[in-house]
Amino acid sequence: QVQLVESGGGLVQPGGSLRLSCAASEFALRWYTITWFRQAPGKEREAISTIRSMSSSDDGTDYIYSVKGRFTISRDTSENTIYLQMDNLRPEDTARYYCAAGHVRTWYSHLEYDNWGPGTQVTVSS
């Protein structure tokens, strides 16, 4: 099982930026599809961005509409870390953010992932 750890969350004002990290110590994340999810209190867990395995025919990225153009997912293979750069943050981005790893067919379905980190809290407030 892949052990994941998220970091980089915090309190930021609207319009501000944060960079989240998802790191693994024992497995090469480049061979997994890595997806960032978030969950706000009282809401369902929501997939927001994914970066596909480097072994797939399409090792690209995807975003949900509400974060496209504001968030950027990237991979640093030397650090074995996946980053989520979040710019122009809004109060509605407030949630606990999780990264998940797996070999999946439907990247936005949390049911397809077996490996999760504990999450990091992001709060956007003035």
Side-chain angles (χ1 to χ4, degrees):
Q1 191 171 8
V2 179
Q3 301 296 321
L4 303 171
V5 178
E6 304 93 338
S7 61
L11 173 64
V12 64
Q13 292 186 342
S17 298
L18 286 173
R19 189 177 77 159
L20 305 185
S21 300
C22 173
S25 58
E26 298 183 1
F27 294 85
L29 292 182
R30 63 183 178 271
W31 304 125
Y32 291 81
T33 291
I34 308 298
T35 298
W36 284 97
F37 289 79
R38 65 186 179 188
Q39 188 167 19
K43 295 189 176 181
E44 294 186 355
R45 190 165 295 194
E46 173 186 45
I48 57 173
S49 181
T50 192
I51 186 164
R52 295 180 183 82
S53 163
M54 292 180 68
S55 64
S56 71
S57 59
D58 172 17
D59 61 345
T61 60
D62 262 316
Y63 303 87
I64 60 171
Y65 179 78
S66 62
V67 306
K68 193 171 291 187
R70 301 189 298 123
F71 292 9
T72 304
I73 193 170
S74 62
R75 174 171 46 219
D76 186 329
T77 56
S78 64
E79 297 289 332
N80 201 31
T81 299
I82 304 297
Y83 297 103
L84 184 68
Q85 176 67 41
M86 306 189 296
D87 298 319
N88 192 20
L89 283 161
R90 305 167 179 169
E92 55 264 38
D93 295 317
T94 295
R96 190 162 186 85
Y97 284 69
Y98 302 86
C99 64
H103 304 292
V104 306
R105 291 175 295 179
T106 308
W107 70 268
Y108 47 83
S109 173
H110 70 279
L111 299 175
E112 297 217 10
Y113 295 86
D114 294 327
N115 306 290
W116 293 84
T120 185
Q121 179 67 35
V122 171
T123 303
V124 185
S125 175
S126 55

